[in-house]
Amino acid sequence: MAQKETNEAADVKVDLPEQVRVRAEKRERLLADGRNPYPVLVPVTATISEVREKYDLAAGEETDDFVGVAGRVMLSRNTGKLCFVTLMDGEGNKLQAMLSAREIGADSLKSYKADVDLGDHLFVYGRVISSRTGELSVMAIPGSTPDERTGVVPPAWMLTCKSILPLPKTFEGKDGASVLSEEQRVRRRELDMIMRPRAREMVRLRARVVKSLRDYFDEQGFIEMETPILQNLHGGAAARPFTTHMNAYDTDLYLRIAPELFLKRCLIGGIERNFEINRNFRNEGADSSHSPEFTMLEAYAAYGNYDTIAQLTKELIQNAAIAATGSTLVTLADGTEYDLGGEWKEMDLYSTLSEKIGEQITPETPRERLVELAEERGIVVEDYYVPGKLAEMLWEEEVGDDLYEPTFVKNFPEDTSPLVKQHRSRKGVVEKWDLYVRGFELATGYSELNDPVVQRERFEKQSLDAANGDPEAMEVDEEFLQAIELGMPPAGGMGMGIDRLLMAITGLGIRETITFPLVKRQG
């Protein structure tokens, strides 16, 4: 990061506690003088972006148009009888304001110098002009008539919020002005958004992506659902749950690890095209691609299968990329381009694993041989790992980590996929795919299991796995089994992490794509 100081914040000359004390004293003085630094009514007439869009003035050109604008003070130059201040709105748009003793009076200018600090929120009313250097500006002038919206006669300037903590000193970096460490950016996301344009853009980009998902489902006739976060049983995925206790019922509950079983019950009930964008919680590790609390999309379509749901997923992701960046050819955080467009590659899990290892691996390969192959590669093997788990871990080690282009990896082991329909022509394999992008799993899709007898057998097998020590095994969900015994239509289903979708589009880590990721408490 270049050590070029910017004008985005003050060069701190005193320590932080001293600055806090001085600012707090200013607040108290303003209140004692009857000047509320946190007013309710602010006679704003235009946003900073509206002013910038409307006016294109030559250097020194002036208008007779009056506006009242507000923003955060990011630069202040107090030079004699003319002061310059740069205001910034929430989108990062900036506008200069000029305060002159001739226009607002010597006393008002003196108060401005004494009261206003960097980081404060400030309102300025006056004429739209261009400075001698060509900077679009508002020349502060007191209003003469009440504002129609607020009934307030606009003052030339007024504090709208006095900040007690100063903004940090900043240096110009490749992604904007910032000296915040990654840890500070995550813990103080509001400060990150003030100081770093990329942080603000990520919030807006995420909103565009989520909107594109909802728009697509609405166009395809899907209904958005809401399913419980607190659940009596954890199910719908192989994951360790968080537990909590409900005092009113005196019972232990689980935080949702997936909405799958409830959305399938909606499918059974006649909501044959449904989806949910929800918060899930998994009590597992945290790293650059995993967060214990994350946002998940799941969708189910009656009379579909894992092939049709793969096509739907591809269209969802490509639409999201276009909504976020304008193209399926996205530019990642490191400056490289990544192509999410076109048709995507497909591969078979067992075939590619066999080719990579150099021997035939099938669902019938003895567990003992799979253990040998895993241990040869330094993979830690637990006693409760079923053969399919070992095959998947070997595949991840040998093939998955090297996948770069978008790829559907198809046909997974039956013993790791209790909710998936068995393959139409292959024994021991289910109709499931995982979508890999740049070496990480982005989404998964199934031909959904709808045979209630087989589903009960699979759940009972999961219970045995749990008894043997598998912390991710599901429990027998009798309510779901009763529901599926009513008859569930054939269906394709998919699940995708929204945070990981943002990772795929931006190239950033998961903590950058989540606005407020969970971090360990300090102290």
Side-chain angles (χ1 to χ4, degrees), residues 290-512:
H290 294 83
S291 175
E293 177 184 7
F294 61 97
T295 304
M296 172 71 81
L297 162 69
E298 288 202 19
Y300 296 85
Y303 308 107
N305 55 48
Y306 78 151
D307 293 317
T308 61
I309 209 73
Q311 178 67 21
L312 177 146
T313 303
K314 179 174 70 71
E315 292 174 2
L316 272 175
I317 294 171
Q318 291 176 344
N319 287 347
I322 293 170
T325 70
S327 172
T328 56
L329 184 64
V330 298
T331 301
L332 304 179
D334 63 2
T336 61
E337 291 185 333
Y338 186 78
D339 191 2
L340 289 164
E343 294 302 315
W344 292 351
K345 184 176 169 183
E346 294 185 359
M347 64 170 55
D348 180 80
L349 184 142
Y350 278 104
S351 298
T352 53
L353 176 59
S354 299
E355 181 181 346
K356 190 72 173 181
I357 287 181
E359 68 177 85
Q360 188 71 13
I361 305 295
T362 72
E364 288 75 39
T365 299
R367 184 181 186 277
E368 293 75 14
R369 180 54 184 155
L370 296 172
V371 170
E372 290 175 358
L373 292 169
E375 291 179 342
E376 287 171 5
R377 288 157 177 79
I379 298 173
V380 177
V381 177
E382 300 290 351
D383 291 341
Y384 57 81
Y385 284 177
V386 295
K389 173 75 170 178
L390 293 168
E392 290 182 11
M393 294 176 72
L394 284 166
W395 183 89
E396 283 278 357
E397 177 73 18
E398 294 291 331
V399 185
D401 291 343
D402 296 327
L403 287 182
Y404 186 75
E405 63 181 292
T407 304
F408 288 107
V409 182
K410 304 181 73 173
N411 307 324
F412 277 68
E414 182 179 304
D415 56 6
T416 61
S417 309
L419 298 166
V420 190
K421 185 171 286 187
Q422 52 268 61
H423 196 276
R424 64 198 76 174
S425 62
R426 292 170 58 184
K427 184 179 179 182
V429 173
V430 294
E431 295 199 349
K432 169 187 172 181
W433 52 256
D434 280 352
L435 172 62
Y436 277 75
V437 172
R438 297 196 343 270
F440 67 87
E441 180 192 340
L442 174 56
T444 190
Y446 305 164
S447 295
E448 301 295 341
L449 177 59
N450 62 339
D451 183 331
V453 175
V454 174
Q455 185 65 82
R456 181 175 291 277
E457 292 171 352
R458 297 267 189 90
F459 274 161
E460 289 173 350
K461 174 62 168 59
Q462 286 280 295
S463 291
L464 291 175
D465 291 342
N468 289 330
D470 187 348
E472 297 182 351
M474 300 181 200
E475 301 177 68
V476 177
D477 189 331
E478 286 293 346
E479 289 186 357
F480 176 69
L481 288 171
Q482 289 177 15
I484 200 172
E485 286 170 353
L486 290 171
M488 187 178 89
M494 60 81 67
M496 175 171 62
I498 301 298
D499 316 304
R500 289 196 172 193
L501 175 57
L502 270 292
M503 290 169 57
I505 293 173
T506 65
L508 296 170
I510 197 167
R511 294 207 306 179
E512 292 283 354

Side-chain angles (χ1 to χ4, degrees), residues 58 63 102 109 137 143 146 169 172 178 197 217 227 232 245 255 342 350 385 391 416 425 459:
T63 75
R102 183 181 65 182
L109 188 63
S137 307
K169 182 178 177 181
E172 190 68 36
S178 180
F217 281 121
T227 62
N232 289 301
H245 185 81
L255 296 185
Y350 278 104
Y385 284 177
T416 61
S425 62
F459 274 161

Side-chain angles (χ1 to χ4, degrees), residues 5-13 19 23 74 118 167-170:
E5 227 176 305
T6 71
N7 289 324
E8 299 299 316
D11 186 0
V12 180
K13 301 297 185 183
Q19 286 214 31
R23 288 168 179 252
M74 299 303 293
L118 291 170
L167 297 178
K169 182 178 177 181
T170 62

